[in-house]
Amino acid sequence: MEGKSIVMAEVIISVVLVWMGLAGIHFLWIDSARSAAITLGVIGAVFCAANSYKFLMTRPGHPISIVGSIIGVIAVIGLLVQVFDWKRFPILGNSNVTLVILGLGIVVKGVMGRFQGVLHPVAD
């Protein structure tokens, strides 16, 4: 049950932050797609640590681990591009696109993290 609740939280928070960022809704420090992308990037790092790192540590060469790592690298680059406001990156320089990519990446990695027990039981 613990994994399901984490994935549900990931989906809900990702959808809400993407919606708020794209709609321009002001709430606390979130007032644009850029601030929503930065917030979602930081929250995504926490979700990654809570959900999908176990599979990566036990099976680093597995295709799910490789795809998850690629998604994670893209997310970190997107976060850095938004934090430092680098406009030279053709896709990730647009905060709306970065926000959507981060939201989808978090949801996909959360779903992929749910397969860790099916493919390889993790000893706690």
Side-chain angles (χ1 to χ4, degrees), residues 25-78:
I25 295 173
H26 299 279
F27 180 72
L28 298 177
W29 61 86
I30 299 172
D31 60 353
S32 65
R34 181 172 177 247
S35 61
I38 292 169
T39 304
L40 192 58
V42 171
I43 291 172
V46 173
F47 279 138
C48 182
N51 195 21
S52 57
Y53 78 96
K54 291 179 189 176
F55 189 77
L56 178 63
M57 293 301 167
T58 58
R59 300 286 302 268
H62 195 279
I64 290 179
S65 294
I66 294 169
V67 171
S69 297
I70 291 169
I71 292 171
V73 167
I74 292 170
V76 168
I77 292 171

Side-chain angles (χ1 to χ4, degrees), residues 88-124:
R88 290 186 281 172
F89 285 83
I91 295 173
L92 297 175
N94 183 341
S95 56
N96 290 336
V97 173
T98 302
L99 180 60
V100 172
I101 288 172
L102 286 171
L104 289 175
I106 290 170
V107 171
V108 168
K109 280 189 75 171
V111 170
M112 287 173 29
R114 293 289 301 146
F115 289 108
Q116 68 188 10
V118 175
L119 298 175
H120 180 72
V122 178
D124 288 327

